[in-house]
Each structure stands twice: as structure tokens, then as C-alpha cells.
Amino acid sequence: MTTSSHAHPPAEPSAGWHVVVPVKDTSHGKSRLARAVGSDRTELSAAIATDTLAAAAAAVGPDHLVLVTSDAGLAARWRTRGVHVVADPGTGLNEAVSAGMRHAGPGARVAALLGDVPSLDAASLRSALEAAASVEESFVPDADGTGTVLRCGRGFTPRFGTDSAARHEADGAVRLDLPLPRLRTDVDDARSLARARRLGLGPATRTVLEHRASGWIRSMQATVHRFDPETHTGSVLRDDGVELRFEAPAFEASGLRLLRLGQRLTVEVVDDLVIALHIVGVGPGQPIR
């Protein structure tokens, strides 16, 4: 007996997973970004959640996506797209994840995903779920290695929060240090927002930044104060003497090979973090003027 090759296409590696995404009411979300983005915080929070949910839905399908939220607008939009929506019990992140797990059903394979990864794409999430399928319990740490962006397994106790990676590992979950920066870059402050922006943002978050970020990003002259040529990190001094740090990605994107102490630069700053630096007239897109 022969079987048509078109009758049963191979299952996706992500098949069988229920992805639970807890999202705080966006009018109260991203409090650590308040100083940087001001009144745009609500719109930015909603955009970040939207891009995360869109990537998750593309990875596993809306019927295997569970949104746990108290945000009525977000709930209504995603319910119409076939996503399961569960009311946030309002007692914290871990309790929200547990509520989503209960909805998925006893014994279900659940991947609890943070709702603030705006650079996430479906391919990255599928890759992580494929890796998670090879072990009983696992987690993917955030970019810093101390937090958790994805916790996978059956019937586990979620332990998101400060130092969650260590707590999940202590529970016996296997640490998956996967080369998936789009998954591992969660956004909760200006530094992580700049990091996600360099990776490439989802369309909703990108639109907010294109229309609003000119009010957050300050461009100014500054003087190089410290520079480590090995780590590419350092700091600059504003003209009023305030020291501002920069990290390696800001330097590496500048096109400069070296910085010398006392050198004058043009820098772009969000919430006292230098996210870009350049010399006017030097490097791509820098016209002499």
C-alpha cells in the first residue's frame, strides 16, 4: 500500500507546544522606561507586546497561543485572531503564567514566553522550541544570562523575576544558551531597547520609534572620558561634566577604529545611556558640514 506524500506533511518542530505569554496592562507596563520615553510609554508597551505575540502566533499558530492579560484592548484584538485569552489574576508574573498553563490543560507542553521581546521572529522561537523538545524541562536565559525569557516543560513552577535563571536551573531545568539574540533580548530599560533596536524591531515597535523616538533621543556634543580598546566600552563627558556610559555595540556601529581621551564626538543619548556615537563627516551617512 502506498501513501501519498501530500497527505500528512511533516510536523513542525514547534507542533504540540502551547506558548503562554503574560502581558501586563500596557497602561502600567514598562515603568523602567518611563524616564526615557515619558508619555509614550503606554503606546510603546502595547507595540512591544504586539510584536511578541505576532511572532509567537506565527511560530505555533494562534490556537496554541495563550495570552494572559488584564489589558482589555489587547485581549479583544488578539481574541479576534483566534488566540486564547485568559484573565490575569493580578497577583504577579508567575501567577499569570500559571493561569495560562492551567488553560493549556494538565500535562500540556508549555513554553512560557516573556511578552517584551520586540525583536523576536517566528524562526527564532521555533528553533528554541525544537531544542526544548529534546529535554524534559528547560529554559532560555536572557541576553545577560541571569534572567529567563522562555521556560519550557510540563507542569513546572514558573520562577520569573530577579535571578530567575538560577532558580529555574535549581528546579532541574536545563539551561539552553542558544545563539538566538532576537529571542533573548527582552526590553525593560533604555539599554535593552537600544540593543533590540540594533537587532531589528517588529513592525509595531519600529513604527512607534519612527514616529515618537525623536522626542526621546537627544543628540549632543561630548568628550571621550574613558575607552577600553579591548572591550570597546567607555564613557563620555557632557559639556556640563556629567559622565555617560557607552557599550560595545554603540562603538562598533560607529565605524571608528579607536577613541582617544579628550576627543570630541557627537553622541545620541537615551535616558543617560549613549546609544550611538560618531564624528560628523566621518563614516557612512555622515556628510561633511
Side-chain angles (χ1 to χ4, degrees):
M1 177 178 175
T2 59
T3 302
S4 167
S5 61
H6 300 289
H8 299 287
E12 289 284 342
S14 52
W17 286 102
H18 296 263
V19 176
V20 172
V21 182
V23 177
K24 195 175 184 178
D25 187 328
T26 55
S27 63
H28 304 298
K30 301 296 150 213
S31 57
R32 291 172 62 188
L33 275 167
R35 180 181 172 194
V37 306
S39 61
D40 294 324
R41 184 180 59 152
T42 295
E43 187 173 357
L44 180 61
S45 297
I48 289 172
T50 294
D51 285 330
T52 302
L53 290 163
V60 300
D63 191 50
H64 279 241
L65 179 58
V66 181
L67 167 62
V68 184
T69 188
S70 59
D71 188 306
L74 204 64
R77 285 194 298 274
W78 286 97
R79 191 179 283 113
T80 63
R81 301 181 192 185
V83 169
H84 300 277
V85 178
V86 174
D88 187 338
T91 49
L93 175 59
N94 290 313
E95 289 76 11
V97 171
S98 294
M101 293 173 68
R102 287 192 294 272
H103 182 85
R109 283 203 308 179
V110 170
L113 171 69
L114 292 186
D116 56 1
V117 280
S119 295
L120 181 64
D121 57 6
S124 294
L125 183 53
R126 287 194 195 106
S127 293
L129 294 176
E130 182 177 10
S134 65
V135 293
E136 288 295 320
E137 301 285 336
S138 64
F139 71 97
V140 179
D142 61 12
D144 294 331
T146 59
T148 303
V149 293
L150 189 72
R151 174 67 168 94
C152 304
R154 302 178 192 267
F156 58 84
T157 299
R159 301 193 188 279
F160 290 93
T162 305
D163 296 325
S164 61
R167 290 200 302 276
H168 285 140
E169 200 161 17
D171 280 352
V174 176
R175 182 186 184 102
L176 301 175
D177 279 306
L178 303 172
L180 298 172
R182 288 184 172 275
L183 169 63
R184 297 180 63 176
T185 303
D186 57 317
V187 169
D188 58 10
D189 57 18
R191 180 185 295 103
S192 52
L193 178 60
R195 187 184 300 159
R197 193 179 185 190
R198 286 188 290 267
L199 289 170
L201 297 164
T205 310
R206 187 170 62 246
T207 297
V208 171
L209 262 65
E210 286 173 353
H211 289 108
R212 304 284 189 173
S214 60
W216 315 334
I217 301 175
R218 295 168 290 147
S219 182
M220 65 187 72
Q221 292 287 299
T223 303
V224 177
H225 179 60
R226 293 185 298 106
F227 179 65
D228 185 330
E230 292 187 0
T231 64
H232 293 173
T233 60
S235 67
V236 298
L237 292 178
R238 295 190 327 201
D239 288 348
D240 62 1
V242 173
E243 185 177 3
L244 305 174
R245 295 173 296 105
F246 63 84
E247 298 179 344
F251 172 77
E252 290 161 0
S254 71
L256 302 173
R257 295 184 179 180
L258 195 66
L259 295 177
R260 56 179 174 77
L261 303 188
Q263 184 176 9
R264 292 288 283 175
L265 299 171
T266 298
V267 298
E268 294 181 357
V269 179
V270 176
D271 198 16
D272 293 338
L273 176 73
V274 175
I275 62 169
L277 47 86
H278 55 265
I279 299 174
V280 174
V282 177
Q286 288 297 310
I288 302 287
R289 59 178 187 265

